[in-house]
Amino acid sequence: GFLEDGILVQDVSRARRRYLGSWTFPWDVMAVLPTELLCLLPGAPRVPGVPAARANRCLRVPRLLEAFERCETRTGWPNVFRVAKLMLYLLLGIHWHGCLYFALSARLGLGVDPWVCPSFTRPLRRYLHSFYLSTLVLATVGDTPAPQREEEFLFLTAGFLLAVLGFATITGSIGTVTANLSRAGSAFRPDAGPVRRYLRARGVGGRLQGRVERWHQHLRAQRKLPAEQEVLRALPRGLRAEVAAGVHLAALRRVGLFRGWERGVLRQLVLRLRPQVFGPGEFVCRRGDVGREMYFIREGRLAVVAEDGVTQLAVLGQGLYFGEISLINIKGNMAGNRRTANILSIGYSDLFCLGKEDLAEVLAEFPCARAAMEAKGRELLLRMGQLDTGAEAAALAAEAEAEQGLQGLQVALEGLQTQAARVLAQLEAGALRMALRVQRLEGQLQ
C-alpha cells in the first residue's frame, strides 16, 4: 500500500500503477538482473568473477535504508531497533573489510608472508581468519602482523583511518540512543535532580530529602506517569479524549459515583483528571482547609484520621472518592467550602485529582450528573450531621421565590416589549401618513 492524503491505499491496481511510474521501479529492475550469468560466457573467469558480477545488488541499498527508516518510525522500541541496526552495520563493515583483505591476500599470494591470509584448505577457516583480522584492525586493538609490502601498508593504514571514523560514528550514535532513553523517561516522570539540588542549596536534607528520593523511586519502580498531561498536550482535543479514555476510563468506571453515568460525562471528566501519587504518612487534605479539588482513589489505601493524626476513623480503598462536598454548592452545607475530614495516605496512593473549575464546567453541561452528585453529597452531609435542613429549606424557598420573581420580571419585560412594538408601529404608520399628506400638498402647489 501507499499513503494518499494520509490514508493507506491498499488497492492492488492503483499500487501497481504508482510503482511502475516511480523512479524506484527501473532501479529495482537493475538491482535484480541476473548479471552473474555473464560468468558463463566463454573466456570469462568462473569463481573470481562472481562477486564483481553481482555488484548490481548494491543498488538495493537505498531501498534497504528506506525500509529501516519506516521500521524505526513504526516500531514500539525505536531505540532497541537503532542499536540492532548499528550492530548490523558494524558486522557488515567487518565482513566487507574481511572480504577485501582476503581478495588482497589472494592477489599477493596466500601464505607468502605473515600478514596475508594463510593458505588454509578449508574456506571456513580462511573466512574466520579474515574476519578476525578485520575485527582487530577496525576495533583499533592492534596486535596485527606487521605489513611487508606497499599494498599491505596502504590497506592497513586505510583500515585504521576508517576505524577511527567508524568508532566516532558508533560512539555518537550510542550517545544519542542513551540521551533519547533518558529524555523519554523524563518526559513522563519528574526529575529528582532539581529538587535534590534545591534542598542541598537551602541546607535542608536528611529525612525530607529521603522522602523525596523514595517518592521518585516509587514512581520509577511502579511505572507511574504523573506528567502525562504534558505528553498529550500536543494532540487535538478529540484524539486526546480518545487516548485519555482508553487509558483511564476503565479505572474511572470503578468509582461508585460514576456508575450509571453516561459515557459523554466520563469522556469530559477524563480529559481534566490529573494523576497524583501520595507517599506514606502524607496528608492529602486536612480538616478546615479550603477545598479546591476532589480525589478518586485509583490504587492504594487512605485513612480518615482524627485531629491527633493517628486515630483511624475509617479506611478508604480503590474505587472510592472524597472531597466533593467542598466543591458542590449544596444548600444548608454547614462546612461551606471547607474540608470536613483529615485524609492520610497509609502507603503509596495513586489518585485522580479533579479541580473545582473543571468539575463546574462538566456539571454545567450535564445537569443530570450535577443532580446525582448533589444528591450523594446531601446524603453524606446528613450522615455527618453537617446539613442544616432549616437553612436548606430557607435557601430552597428563597431560590423558588427568586425564580418566581424572575418569571414575573420576564412576563413584565415581554409586556413592555409588546407595548414598545405597538408604539413603534403607530409611529411608523403616522410617519407614512404624514409623508403622503406632504406629497399631496406638493402636488396641489405645483
Side-chain angles (χ1 to χ4, degrees), residues 281-287 302-316 340-346:
E282 186 176 355
F283 278 94
V284 180
C285 60
R286 293 179 181 270
R287 183 185 178 92
L302 297 101
V304 182
V305 297
E307 294 299 330
D308 58 3
V310 178
T311 307
Q312 295 186 5
L313 304 178
V315 176
L316 306 178
T340 59
N342 300 312
I343 308 295
L344 178 71
S345 178
I346 298 176

Side-chain angles (χ1 to χ4, degrees), residues 37 100 133 153 194 196 199 203 216 290 313 340 362 367 377 401 425 427:
L37 297 179
L100 293 176
L133 187 86
F153 276 106
R196 188 188 306 113
L199 292 176
H216 283 89
V290 177
L313 304 178
T340 59
V362 175
E401 184 178 355
L427 287 175

Side-chain angles (χ1 to χ4, degrees), residues 7-287:
I7 300 175
L8 181 63
V9 178
Q10 294 182 310
D11 183 68
V12 177
S13 58
R14 294 182 60 187
R16 183 188 299 112
R17 289 196 301 269
R18 185 175 184 273
Y19 175 63
L20 293 178
S22 65
W23 65 270
T24 56
F25 174 68
W27 200 264
D28 292 342
V29 169
M30 289 187 293
V32 299
L33 288 176
T35 51
E36 63 271 15
L37 297 179
L38 296 175
C39 298
L40 301 179
L41 296 176
R46 299 302 181 199
V47 176
V50 172
R54 291 173 57 86
N56 63 322
R57 300 295 189 271
C58 295
L59 297 176
R60 301 284 294 185
V61 171
R63 302 286 279 170
L64 178 65
L65 298 179
E66 180 185 359
F68 280 166
E69 181 182 359
R70 293 193 179 188
C71 226
E72 183 177 333
T73 56
R74 286 163 173 78
T75 180
W77 304 90
N79 292 312
V80 176
F81 183 81
R82 292 189 190 105
V83 172
K85 183 175 65 174
L86 186 63
M87 294 302 298
L88 176 63
Y89 288 161
L90 183 62
L91 294 176
L92 188 61
I94 295 175
H95 167 74
W96 281 351
H97 189 268
C99 292
L100 293 176
Y101 165 76
F102 181 77
L104 180 60
S105 299
R107 182 178 178 277
L108 298 177
L110 299 178
V112 296
D113 59 50
W115 187 84
V116 298
C117 180
S119 57
F120 296 115
T121 56
R122 295 176 59 195
L124 178 61
R125 189 66 180 272
R126 296 180 180 181
Y127 175 77
L128 292 178
H129 178 84
S130 303
F131 193 89
Y132 173 72
L133 187 86
S134 296
T135 304
L136 294 180
V137 173
L138 296 181
T140 63
V141 175
D143 197 21
T144 57
Q148 306 294 328
R149 306 181 187 185
E150 292 81 358
E151 296 89 342
E152 298 173 0
F153 276 106
L154 291 175
F155 184 83
L156 200 58
T157 302
F160 283 137
L161 293 177
L162 181 63
V164 171
L165 178 63
F167 265 88
T169 305
I170 292 172
T171 304
S173 300
I174 293 177
T176 303
V177 171
T178 305
N180 289 338
L181 288 173
S182 303
R183 192 179 302 114
S186 62
F188 296 100
R189 300 177 183 89
D191 186 12
V195 181
R196 188 188 306 113
R197 291 191 293 269
Y198 172 74
L199 292 176
R200 290 175 181 173
R202 293 298 181 179
V204 180
R207 183 170 176 271
L208 182 58
Q209 186 174 351
R211 288 180 58 188
V212 174
E213 290 287 346
R214 287 192 296 273
W215 185 79
H216 283 89
Q217 290 174 4
H218 173 76
L219 291 185
R220 290 192 296 269
Q222 300 298 323
R223 298 182 179 180
K224 303 296 183 183
L225 309 175
E228 59 185 25
Q229 292 291 340
E230 300 295 328
V231 180
L232 303 180
R233 179 178 297 178
L235 297 178
R237 183 177 180 84
L239 185 56
R240 187 165 68 248
E242 292 292 336
V243 173
V247 174
H248 297 309
L249 195 58
L252 201 62
R253 287 188 182 277
R254 291 197 295 267
V255 178
L257 176 65
F258 300 132
R259 290 172 186 165
W261 284 27
E262 57 181 299
R263 184 179 175 86
V265 187
L266 300 182
R267 284 172 57 88
Q268 293 297 322
L269 281 175
V270 80
L271 277 175
R272 295 167 170 84
L273 294 177
R274 299 191 305 274
Q276 290 188 356
V277 179
F278 291 88
E282 186 176 355
F283 278 94
V284 180
C285 60
R286 293 179 181 270
R287 183 185 178 92

